[in-house]
Amino acid sequence: MPHDPQAPDAVLARIDAMLPAALDRLMDLLRIPSISTDPAFKADCDRAADWLVADLQSLGFDAAKRPTPGHPMVVAHGDGPADASGPHLLFYGHYDVQPVDPLSLWDRDPFDPALENTPKGQVIRARGASDDKGQLMTFLEALRAWKAETGQLPCKLTIFLEGEEESGSPSLIPFLQDNAAELQADIALICDTGLFQDTAPAIVTMLRGLLGEEITLHAANKDLHSGMFGGLAANPIRALTRILANLHDDQGRITLPGFYDGVSELPDAIRAQWQNLAFDHAAFLGDVGLSVPAGELDRTPLEMLWSRPTAEVNGIWGGYTGDGFKTVLPAEAHAKVSFRLVGTQDPHAIRAAFRAWVQAQLPADCSATFTEHGASPAGLMQITHPAFEAARAALGDEWGRAAAYVGCGGSIPIAGYFKTYLGMDAMLLGFARDDDQIHSPNEKYDVECFHKGIRSWARLLARLA
Amino acid sequence: MPHDPQAPDAVLARIDAMLPAALDRLMDLLRIPSISTDPAFKADCDRAADWLVADLQSLGFDAAKRPTPGHPMVVAHGDGPADASGPHLLFYGHYDVQPVDPLSLWDRDPFDPALENTPKGQVIRARGASDDKGQLMTFLEALRAWKAETGQLPCKLTIFLEGEEESGSPSLIPFLQDNAAELQADIALICDTGLFQDTAPAIVTMLRGLLGEEITLHAANKDLHSGMFGGLAANPIRALTRILANLHDDQGRITLPGFYDGVSELPDAIRAQWQNLAFDHAAFLGDVGLSVPAGELDRTPLEMLWSRPTAEVNGIWGGYTGDGFKTVLPAEAHAKVSFRLVGTQDPHAIRAAFRAWVQAQLPADCSATFTEHGASPAGLMQITHPAFEAARAALGDEWGRAAAYVGCGGSIPIAGYFKTYLGMDAMLLGFARDDDQIHSPNEKYDVECFHKGIRSWARLLARLA
């Protein structure tokens, strides 16, 4: 066991030597079409869980497939050295994968993985290569090398692998509740995220929350003819556009009263790290045909994506929307509106504020009804846990550039669930690249990411154990 | 022939006596399912035209079925007394009818007409009873009674009956162009409108025009995920709502530059007539679940409907509009916008102004494309022709209350076509009621309207001839 946390050289050398075998193992796992959302693949999901149980048992874990009403969980417990002073770590990944449609857009069978040489380097091509089988195997391979080199695991470990992440995790919360004591650890390591712009190691410490609302504005009791009624009768589309247009002021700020309660300024240390990432927003936007950051005028592009809340209309409809033209004044108009939340913004308070704000702007003869579509607060990781600085240092050592605490504009609910149901902080880090085409045809994982990912975990375990 | 225009008593008495036979004739015509939009009824349209040709020939007209690429026109010419000093009148109606779907909502076969007693009086129930077979027969029955009583027609007459009015009149303009000389008359009488609020006789002298535009706003080159891009990427729905919200100011006025060019104040005489109509806007709106006039704050309800232009969003769509929620930032957002036009507003100038106005408001990264959906100017009848005051007086005599020059919020293109292609003014008057359910199941025409309609034409002809 290496005692200099900066240089677990023997373990790293073993990882390098074992890479071909590690790739073979990953490809074995990738051959199992564990598509969780399609009942036709239920037996395959089971088989993937069995494969992982066997692999964990080979590493000395007390591992078992645990039934749920859906696909099974894999839970494994392992002990480190008797004199270990390091933390008890829980590792999370998921063995299920997305469907593969449209199959015609794949250049090969998605479940016949292969190594391919590309202009950007060698890749493992298969459904799940990046999301999340390749990523979860980085951790298991690091443990394998560690065990091979030292004869034991580096510290007390719990492995928790889910089989329903790509289908909404219906069994997850009940399982966490039913097994809360067993799943306790000092911190959870979640490997389902990526590098920042392909090369910079990153630890996600801010996850935006999400609040969804659907509005229906009602006016007349039926659709009206705009010749017979136009000019005299209220048009709910007009009312809806006026209300939604007021959601932002001319500076791009959201106008709901109290909306920014709980939104903090970025700490200077984090701001400096983000500055150092040199985010190329022109390229990021340019890839999708855009050029100008559309958020608050006085915020940086990364703040707009990670640390500032948003209000967006994700859908709008009303009246006649088919071919040609129909001069209708519709009885109703509809919109789906979402808010990305940060800091300690309270989704329930914002929902109430939004509804009151809409009601206050209704013109005569218009009424509003609302449907909720979920409410989750932002996730803010407690980076005071020593694992965070250890991980930053380990990642920096491996990737040759400083690791940053970054945000994530979307939601990764598992981190919040660990906090809510197990009282456990979580750290999200991973090695995916933006061009991995997860959820799309021709998914891949770079061999470099797999290899350096395994090495990153070895360095991190050395620093923590 | 009655020489006192106020009292064509003998003709009126004959109309009263002939009413049962007139109803039988109308029911004969109503039994022909002349649905113009459905090719399955092509032979029936032909049969309806034949029926009318025969009926006109029985009145002494030189009548013929005239082929078009679609359904035939019926054109008939007749002369009045050799010493007649009255005008040459052209009468227009249409013999085709709307489809009957959904048939299940009809209380009887739509083409098996019957007289029914209702709480509001006796009605003729059938498809086309009001729109427009019953209405066109009011004129023919008035001529029949006149001829029976006096031995000749009251004046020089051209009858022009169309068979494609309910299917967009594709053959109309070419037919008018090809037969312009033959169809010349001093004024056209168009019987396809109604009483005002069921009891007040009315002559439509203002028809609003219509301009239709479809906007598509484009932003990113594909739909984006609002977690990954939200806050940084432009949302075309947001841009669209802001632009459309600006179409009206807080007073309800339309903000397009130059939009009100050509919009005149109502002449005092017309304003007085409208005042006299005592329009019950509360009841009119109340019937459809509304209560408050939604147009310009300083205008009366009838001005809003008849003499003021409008801008309405008739359809809007973009993003995810299905069940549930999808956090998409769409690549595009769409709206269908129409303008009802009055006075001498120029639809082409307004289309150009609208497009420029939208372009001027586009935020960064948004572009707009437009599709036209028709442009017709408003129609303003020249009420200086003596037929107008004659018609007002005749209608007032028959209905026991003053007739008014009214507007019509919708479009009746035929009046404009007569002006454009024949240089001929037109007068629109008719006897339909608001509850006739034209275009809907259980269409009806009140026997009172049919009877008093015939009498109204007799009085009008007496005043003109």
Side-chain angles (χ1 to χ4, degrees):
Chain A
M1 180 179 173
H3 285 88
D4 175 0
Q6 304 285 350
D9 292 337
V11 173
L12 294 178
R14 186 172 283 266
I15 288 169
D16 298 346
M18 283 170 51
L19 182 63
L23 285 165
D24 285 345
R25 279 186 289 271
L26 172 56
M27 292 210 252
D28 267 357
L29 180 57
L30 289 171
R31 283 188 194 96
I32 305 173
S34 47
I35 301 170
S36 60
T37 199
D38 185 341
F41 296 90
K42 182 163 179 53
D44 296 300
C45 291
D46 224 55
R47 201 148 54 89
D50 287 335
W51 189 98
L52 288 161
V53 167
D55 196 49
L56 287 161
Q57 287 171 339
S58 78
L59 295 176
F61 277 92
D62 176 14
K65 190 171 68 174
R66 305 282 286 271
T68 75
H71 302 299
M73 306 288 182
V74 171
V75 179
H77 300 286
D79 286 318
D83 62 345
S85 59
H88 175 181
L89 304 177
L90 179 142
F91 176 83
Y92 167 91
H94 64 89
Y95 66 79
D96 63 321
V97 301
Q98 279 275 317
V100 296
D101 322 292
L103 194 57
S104 62
L105 295 186
W106 284 81
D107 294 330
R108 61 178 300 117
D109 179 346
F111 297 109
D112 177 22
L115 294 179
E116 285 181 18
N117 292 309
T118 78
K120 294 167 81 176
Q122 202 172 36
V123 305
I124 310 143
R125 182 87 64 192
R127 169 58 85 226
S130 174
D131 184 17
D132 184 49
K133 288 172 175 172
Q135 300 241 69
L136 78 83
M137 287 304 291
T138 57
F139 194 77
L140 269 56
E141 293 298 341
L143 296 181
R144 194 182 328 272
W146 195 289
K147 179 103 187 256
E149 193 63 32
T150 69
Q152 53 194 341
L153 295 171
C155 59
K156 188 168 168 62
L157 284 161
T158 298
I159 310 291
F160 177 47
L161 306 175
E162 184 188 1
E164 298 180 330
E165 199 272 349
E166 301 293 6
S167 51
S169 299
S171 308
L172 181 60
I173 291 174
F175 192 87
L176 292 178
Q177 290 175 316
D178 291 349
N179 300 278
E182 179 186 348
L183 294 170
Q184 287 299 332
D186 292 315
I187 190 165
L189 308 176
I190 298 171
C191 189
D192 198 17
T193 53
L195 302 168
F196 179 74
Q197 296 206 328
D198 292 351
T199 55
I203 300 167
V204 174
T205 61
M206 294 175 168
L207 289 162
R208 289 198 288 195
L210 184 62
L211 170 66
E213 279 282 275
E214 184 168 327
I215 321 173
T216 299
L217 291 195
H218 310 265
N221 56 22
K222 60 181 176 182
D223 285 1
L224 305 177
H225 187 281
S226 82
M228 192 158 171
F229 286 92
L232 191 63
N235 181 340
I237 300 178
R238 176 172 158 197
L240 185 62
T241 60
R242 290 175 80 93
I243 291 170
L244 295 177
N246 287 338
L247 252 181
H248 297 84
D249 68 16
D250 290 341
Q251 304 299 301
R253 279 178 68 88
I254 292 146
T255 59
L256 287 191
F259 181 75
Y260 288 93
D261 292 352
V263 180
S264 307
E265 286 302 314
L266 210 53
D268 288 344
I270 301 292
R271 185 179 297 279
Q273 288 183 24
W274 290 6
Q275 197 67 34
N276 201 39
L277 289 170
F279 175 50
D280 185 351
H281 73 264
F284 182 83
L285 287 172
D287 280 348
V288 295
L290 302 175
S291 61
V292 180
E296 296 159 276
L297 293 185
D298 56 349
R299 298 293 171 178
T300 66
L302 281 185
E303 284 180 288
M304 293 179 191
L305 284 177
W306 291 343
S307 67
R308 299 297 297 178
T310 70
E312 296 285 2
V313 184
N314 302 110
I316 191 166
W317 70 104
Y320 181 71
T321 61
D323 287 343
F325 211 91
K326 191 170 165 185
T327 50
V328 63
L329 296 180
E332 295 181 346
H334 313 260
K336 294 182 195 269
V337 179
S338 68
F339 301 89
R340 296 273 170 189
L341 306 179
V342 304
T344 59
Q345 282 182 296
D346 176 353
H348 302 290
I350 290 172
R351 191 192 297 287
F354 176 66
R355 292 182 175 188
W357 178 86
V358 170
Q359 296 282 5
Q361 294 178 83
L362 291 174
D365 285 335
C366 283
S367 63
T369 53
F370 300 87
T371 305
E372 21 180 302
H373 287 288
S376 59
L380 193 60
M381 307 298 125
Q382 292 306 314
I383 59 175
T384 49
H385 193 289
F388 280 85
E389 282 302 310
R392 276 193 73 207
L395 289 167
D397 289 344
E398 178 59 30
W399 293 84
R401 55 180 291 186
Y405 292 141
V406 303
C408 176
S411 316
I412 303 178
I414 183 70
Y417 296 157
F418 283 149
K419 188 72 184 177
T420 302
Y421 298 103
L422 305 180
M424 180 165 58
D425 289 322
M427 183 160 70
L428 298 107
L429 63 91
F431 313 100
R433 282 185 167 147
D434 292 344
D435 63 355
D436 279 356
Q437 310 197 101
I438 64 169
H439 297 209
S440 296
N442 297 321
E443 179 175 350
K444 61 86 178 167
Y445 197 42
D446 288 287
V447 171
E448 181 188 21
C449 292
F450 184 62
H451 184 189
K452 291 171 77 74
I454 301 169
R455 290 171 55 98
S456 297
W457 287 121
R459 290 184 188 271
L460 172 59
L461 291 166
R463 286 186 176 267
L464 284 176
Chain B
M1 182 179 172
H3 285 88
D4 176 0
Q6 304 285 350
D9 293 336
V11 173
L12 294 178
R14 187 170 282 266
I15 288 169
D16 297 348
M18 282 169 52
L19 182 62
L23 286 165
D24 285 346
R25 278 184 290 272
L26 173 56
M27 292 211 252
D28 267 355
L29 180 58
L30 290 170
R31 282 188 194 97
I32 306 173
S34 48
I35 300 171
S36 59
T37 199
D38 185 342
F41 296 90
K42 182 164 179 51
D44 296 300
C45 292
D46 224 55
R47 202 149 52 89
D50 287 334
W51 190 98
L52 288 160
V53 167
D55 196 49
L56 287 160
Q57 288 171 341
S58 78
L59 295 177
F61 279 92
D62 176 13
K65 190 171 69 172
R66 304 282 288 270
T68 75
H71 302 300
M73 306 288 181
V74 171
V75 179
H77 300 286
D79 286 318
D83 62 344
S85 58
H88 176 183
L89 304 176
L90 179 141
F91 176 82
Y92 168 90
H94 64 90
Y95 66 79
D96 63 320
V97 301
Q98 279 275 317
V100 295
D101 321 294
L103 194 57
S104 60
L105 296 184
W106 284 80
D107 294 331
R108 61 178 298 117
D109 178 345
F111 297 109
D112 177 22
L115 294 179
E116 285 181 19
N117 292 309
T118 77
K120 294 169 80 177
Q122 202 171 34
V123 305
I124 310 143
R125 182 87 64 192
R127 169 57 86 227
S130 173
D131 184 16
D132 184 46
K133 288 173 176 172
Q135 300 241 67
L136 78 85
M137 287 305 290
T138 57
F139 194 77
L140 268 55
E141 293 299 342
L143 295 181
R144 194 183 326 274
W146 195 289
K147 179 103 188 255
E149 193 63 32
T150 69
Q152 51 195 341
L153 296 171
C155 60
K156 189 168 167 62
L157 284 161
T158 298
I159 309 291
F160 178 46
L161 306 175
E162 185 189 0
E164 297 180 330
E165 200 273 347
E166 302 292 5
S167 52
S169 298
S171 308
L172 181 59
I173 290 174
F175 192 86
L176 293 178
Q177 291 175 316
D178 291 349
N179 300 279
E182 179 186 348
L183 295 171
Q184 287 298 331
D186 291 316
I187 191 166
L189 309 175
I190 297 171
C191 190
D192 198 16
T193 54
L195 302 169
F196 179 74
Q197 295 206 329
D198 292 352
T199 56
I203 301 166
V204 173
T205 61
M206 294 175 168
L207 290 162
R208 290 198 289 196
L210 183 62
L211 169 65
E213 279 282 275
E214 183 169 328
I215 322 173
T216 299
L217 291 194
H218 311 263
N221 56 23
K222 60 180 175 184
D223 285 0
L224 305 176
H225 187 281
S226 82
M228 191 155 171
F229 286 91
L232 191 64
N235 181 341
I237 301 178
R238 176 172 158 197
L240 185 62
T241 59
R242 290 174 81 93
I243 291 170
L244 295 177
N246 287 339
L247 253 182
H248 298 84
D249 68 16
D250 290 340
Q251 305 298 302
R253 279 178 68 87
I254 293 146
T255 59
L256 288 191
F259 182 75
Y260 288 94
D261 292 353
V263 180
S264 306
E265 286 301 316
L266 211 52
D268 287 343
I270 301 293
R271 185 179 297 279
Q273 287 183 24
W274 290 7
Q275 199 66 35
N276 200 40
L277 289 170
F279 175 49
D280 186 351
H281 73 265
F284 182 82
L285 287 173
D287 279 347
V288 296
L290 301 175
S291 61
V292 180
E296 295 160 276
L297 293 184
D298 57 348
R299 297 293 170 177
T300 66
L302 281 186
E303 284 181 288
M304 293 178 191
L305 284 177
W306 291 343
S307 66
R308 300 297 297 177
T310 70
E312 295 284 2
V313 184
N314 302 109
I316 191 166
W317 70 105
Y320 182 70
T321 61
D323 287 342
F325 211 91
K326 191 170 164 184
T327 50
V328 64
L329 296 180
E332 295 181 346
H334 313 262
K336 294 181 198 271
V337 179
S338 68
F339 300 89
R340 296 274 169 187
L341 306 179
V342 304
T344 59
Q345 282 182 297
D346 176 353
H348 302 290
I350 290 173
R351 191 193 296 287
F354 175 67
R355 292 181 177 191
W357 177 87
V358 169
Q359 296 282 5
Q361 294 177 84
L362 291 174
D365 285 334
C366 283
S367 63
T369 53
F370 299 88
T371 306
E372 11 180 311
H373 288 287
S376 59
L380 193 60
M381 307 299 124
Q382 292 305 314
I383 58 176
T384 49
H385 193 289
F388 280 85
E389 281 303 310
R392 277 192 73 206
L395 290 167
D397 289 343
E398 178 60 30
W399 293 85
R401 55 181 291 187
Y405 294 140
V406 303
C408 176
S411 317
I412 303 178
I414 184 70
Y417 296 157
F418 283 149
K419 188 73 183 175
T420 302
Y421 298 103
L422 305 181
M424 181 165 55
D425 289 322
M427 183 160 69
L428 298 106
L429 64 92
F431 312 100
R433 282 185 167 147
D434 293 345
D435 63 356
D436 278 356
Q437 310 198 99
I438 64 168
H439 297 209
S440 296
N442 297 321
E443 179 174 350
K444 62 87 177 164
Y445 197 41
D446 289 286
V447 172
E448 181 188 21
C449 292
F450 184 61
H451 184 190
K452 291 171 77 74
I454 301 169
R455 290 171 56 98
S456 298
W457 286 120
R459 291 184 188 271
L460 172 58
L461 290 166
R463 285 185 175 269
L464 285 176

